[in-house]
Amino acid sequence: MAKYIFVTGGVVSGLGKGITAASLGRLLKMRGLKVAAQKLDPYINVDPGTMSPYQHGEVYVTEDGAETDLDLGHYERFIDEDLNRFSNLTTGKVYSNVIAKERRGEYLGSTVQIIPHITDEIKRFIYNVGLHSNADVVITEVGGTIGDIEGQPFIEAIRQVGNEVGRENSLYIHVCLLPYLKASGEHKTKPTQHSVKELQGMGITPDIIVLRTDEVIEDKSIFRKIANFCNVKEDCVIENNTLPVLYEAPLMLERSGMSEIVCRELGIDAPAPDVSEWESLISRIKSPHNEVTIGLVGKYVQLHDAYLSVAEALHHAGYFCDSVVNIEWIDSEGLTEENIDHVLGKVDGVIVPGGFGERGIEGMILTAKYCRENNVPYLDICLGMQIAVIEAGRGLLGYADANSNEFDSSSEHKMIDFMPGQSDDIEKGGTLRLGSYPCIIAEGTKMAECYGTKEISERHRHRYEFNNEYREKLTEAGLVISGLSPDGLLVETVEYADHRFFVGVQYHPEFKSRPNKPHPLFMGLVKASLNK
């Protein structure tokens, strides 16, 4: 039987439950265990796919095409395991599934209620994520804060799982804010005590309490005080400080014996974690010898979490290029022909990531033109690749109105158009081209140089494609089509042969980058930018 670990949060949201869960997952994997991770989100959207990036940050896409919360990116980057469609569950998805079953008559005329029908659906996802991954340990994070109305069914469901599998197979970790009052120079434990009391009132007594604090806890009696008031063992009260390097979190938690305590409480017999590779990673992060600045040109730059995986992938490449990667966040809406030389002249390389809608598009097209004409290292992703193709239509073929059907349906030269079977009439949620698809790379290209292989598989999230009506003309004009779907019908990547580094990809390579395994395309961009 798999072991089940549940991570909840108290006092305030945004404490880093996801980083705590991901760090624990990494430590358990270092002990040789197979780990699966999962996020339960109480919001009523079916998934984040139709939400504005300003609402919830980026949408993270799994191999099997689920549009999920950005915390799943943390899980995959830390644990280095591919997650699946059972790894993210929302209130909207739960109710949608339950109502669909009721309409099909699966409840045999029963009155549908929170208990057992809603909680049973939540438990089905919890159990299935482990079965689907054949995991030894399933780590489930419950979004939000204890006391939230919308989170109550999820808390009840994880309580029931603990009863069903037994306490020897289940563990509850509560992450709480431990505020520090500068006026009195002390940490305050009352918020943690009240949060644990709230959790106990819902039938769950935490086994481990993680204290989230910006200040190092100097008064060690705090651990004993919280242990006594919250009914946990003293060594099960663990400090979690704010760190300058995010990926140092597993090592910090392990210094408190986190994975040893978890294994002890769950009766897991596993060797001590081998942290040598992770320590080497942290050493590289902390002692770079070079510096490079990448301009990230997007439309959601006011919220950096909207491009979280892109930013992390850039940093991953920097770690392995012995460099600090500074990101210059550039709002594409503010770019004009008058200021683009000044704005982009300050960076060593440029990346244009994904997005939807026509806002800021002209600034991105100017960016593609500037990088093409000035030999500036340039990586464009999803929407970014479409921008590069539109700019090629204007700059190489002379079509002044070249555009995408998404931005100008009246254009006579739609370089980008709907995929087969797609249209404006289709429902927006979950109808994109989603998940992992194969791509065949042309020999002698920058793509081939970066990947070092002929066939790759990458994750997609888009509705529009390169319009094949212009494939021949663009190729003759100098645009290199360097990657195709195996049947040759879909253009997956484009580039310029005479450019230092100009690569556009229809997929999202950032989702497969890891801190200890940087993605080859981001490595290519950072290397070219360093050489510039």
Side-chain angles (χ1 to χ4, degrees):
M1 175 181 289
K3 305 286 186 175
Y4 293 87
I5 299 173
F6 300 101
V7 181
T8 56
V11 186
V12 296
S13 60
L15 286 178
K17 297 189 302 294
I19 298 299
T20 300
S23 297
L24 175 58
R26 184 73 207 186
L27 291 170
L28 294 176
K29 184 174 180 178
M30 289 172 177
R31 286 177 170 264
L33 298 170
K34 173 76 171 175
V35 180
Q38 180 184 55
K39 174 78 179 288
L40 306 180
D41 272 308
Y43 55 73
I44 301 177
N45 302 68
V46 172
D47 58 44
T50 57
M51 294 171 70
S52 164
Y54 289 128
Q55 290 284 312
H56 220 250
E58 73 174 7
V59 176
Y60 192 83
V61 179
T62 60
E63 284 283 297
D64 59 359
E67 294 176 289
T68 72
D69 179 77
L70 58 79
D71 271 326
L72 269 69
H74 289 312
Y75 300 159
E76 286 205 353
R77 285 188 287 273
F78 275 77
I79 306 172
D80 194 18
E81 294 285 347
D82 290 334
L83 303 181
N84 57 62
R85 60 190 176 91
F86 294 109
S87 298
N88 196 198
L89 181 65
T90 68
T91 295
K93 188 177 292 183
V94 171
Y95 276 83
S96 178
N97 291 350
V98 168
I99 290 170
K101 289 179 179 180
E102 186 273 334
R103 293 289 80 188
R104 293 194 299 266
E106 292 187 21
Y107 297 124
L108 303 178
S110 297
T111 300
V112 178
Q113 297 176 292
I114 301 295
I115 302 172
H117 302 97
I118 297 299
T119 51
D120 281 353
E121 185 67 15
I122 296 170
K123 289 189 295 182
R124 184 175 72 85
F125 266 73
I126 292 172
Y127 291 133
N128 276 340
V129 72
L131 292 172
H132 194 78
S133 306
N134 193 29
D136 300 311
V137 179
V138 176
I139 301 176
T140 299
E141 175 195 349
V142 181
T145 308
I146 292 302
D148 294 345
I149 292 173
E150 59 266 34
Q152 292 178 4
F154 292 98
I155 300 300
E156 171 60 20
I158 67 172
R159 183 196 68 80
Q160 291 181 20
V161 171
N163 283 345
E164 290 170 3
V165 303
R167 290 311 302 265
E168 69 278 8
N169 293 310
S170 59
L171 184 82
Y172 298 93
I173 298 175
H174 195 49
V175 182
C176 278
L177 176 68
L178 186 73
Y180 180 80
L181 298 186
K182 291 186 178 180
S184 58
E186 59 183 344
H187 287 94
K188 290 297 184 180
T189 64
K190 274 295 185 290
T192 296
Q193 294 177 45
H194 284 296
S195 182
V196 171
K197 183 179 179 181
E198 180 89 14
L199 185 59
Q200 290 171 334
M202 302 177 78
I204 295 174
T205 296
D207 301 287
I208 296 173
I209 296 174
V210 176
L211 302 176
R212 186 71 177 83
T213 176
D214 288 331
E215 304 286 339
V216 174
I217 302 173
E218 300 290 352
D219 182 3
K220 302 307 178 184
S221 67
I222 284 176
F223 297 99
R224 184 165 55 254
K225 182 178 181 180
I226 290 175
N228 288 335
F229 275 97
C230 299
N231 196 30
V232 299
K233 299 171 185 176
E234 188 171 334
D235 68 349
C236 289
V237 182
I238 293 174
E239 184 176 1
N240 184 350
N241 300 125
T242 301
L243 296 167
V245 177
L246 179 70
Y247 296 109
E248 198 174 0
L251 299 180
M252 175 192 65
L253 292 175
E254 189 58 17
R255 286 194 288 271
S256 298
M258 181 74 156
S259 70
E260 178 64 31
I261 293 167
V262 167
C263 288
R264 181 192 72 198
E265 296 300 307
L266 286 173
I268 296 173
D269 184 14
D274 180 2
V275 299
S276 56
E277 181 189 8
W278 211 257
E279 287 176 335
S280 176
L281 168 67
I282 300 304
S283 178
R284 284 198 303 273
I285 293 173
K286 289 186 172 182
S287 56
H289 293 90
N290 302 299
E291 191 170 354
V292 66
T293 300
I294 303 295
L296 191 154
V297 180
K299 58 174 68 179
Y300 315 117
V301 293
Q302 289 83 358
L303 180 67
H304 294 179
D305 273 359
Y307 302 112
L308 179 60
S309 290
V310 172
E312 288 302 309
L314 286 170
H315 293 311
H316 300 165
Y319 303 155
F320 278 76
C321 290
D322 193 25
S323 302
V324 172
V325 175
N326 299 310
I327 300 176
E328 187 76 19
W329 300 88
I330 301 170
D331 188 344
S332 61
E333 279 194 285
L335 289 175
T336 64
E337 290 185 357
E338 289 72 30
N339 69 12
I340 195 160
D341 283 348
H342 172 71
V343 175
L344 295 186
K346 298 182 294 184
V347 302
D348 303 303
V350 173
I351 187 167
V352 175
F356 294 89
E358 62 181 330
R359 182 175 61 84
I361 293 302
E362 291 302 320
M364 296 181 192
I365 293 172
L366 284 173
T367 299
K369 178 183 178 182
Y370 177 90
C371 293
R372 176 176 62 83
E373 292 180 345
N374 293 280
N375 204 20
V376 176
Y378 181 71
L379 175 62
D380 37 321
I381 295 170
C382 196
L383 169 65
M385 188 198 93
Q386 297 175 2
I387 293 296
V389 174
I390 293 169
E391 194 283 322
R394 296 182 184 183
L396 301 182
L397 300 183
Y399 300 143
D401 72 333
N403 218 315
S404 166
N405 194 2
E406 181 181 6
F407 314 133
D408 183 6
S409 59
S410 65
S411 169
E412 292 185 9
H413 300 96
K414 298 183 181 69
M415 317 305 292
I416 306 295
D417 210 342
F418 282 116
M419 295 187 301
Q422 298 280 352
S423 71
D424 278 327
D425 298 328
I426 200 166
E427 288 187 2
K428 297 296 186 288
T431 58
L432 302 167
R433 186 184 183 206
L434 292 166
S436 186
Y437 288 89
C439 169
I440 306 301
I441 299 175
E443 294 181 3
T445 60
K446 189 66 72 174
M447 281 283 296
E449 180 184 328
C450 287
Y451 279 95
T453 186
K454 184 178 180 180
E455 184 170 348
I456 61 172
S457 179
E458 295 278 5
R459 302 178 194 181
H460 294 65
R461 182 176 182 254
H462 61 102
R463 192 184 306 280
Y464 295 83
E465 293 277 4
F466 183 108
N467 188 344
N468 283 324
E469 290 182 18
Y470 297 97
R471 187 188 290 195
E472 186 176 347
K473 289 182 179 180
L474 285 169
T475 301
E476 291 174 352
L479 185 69
V480 177
I481 296 174
S482 52
L484 294 167
S485 59
D487 59 11
L489 295 180
L490 302 178
V491 173
E492 295 278 21
T493 73
V494 298
E495 58 185 75
Y496 288 109
D498 56 353
H499 198 283
R500 178 182 287 111
F501 187 91
F502 190 115
V503 176
V505 297
Q506 185 60 78
Y507 49 80
H508 287 267
E510 67 271 25
F511 294 148
K512 300 187 79 167
S513 184
R514 307 287 182 258
N516 54 338
K517 298 176 185 176
H519 194 281
L521 289 181
F522 286 87
M523 287 283 285
L525 174 65
V526 170
K527 286 180 179 178
S529 300
L530 281 166
N531 291 334
K532 175 176 179 290

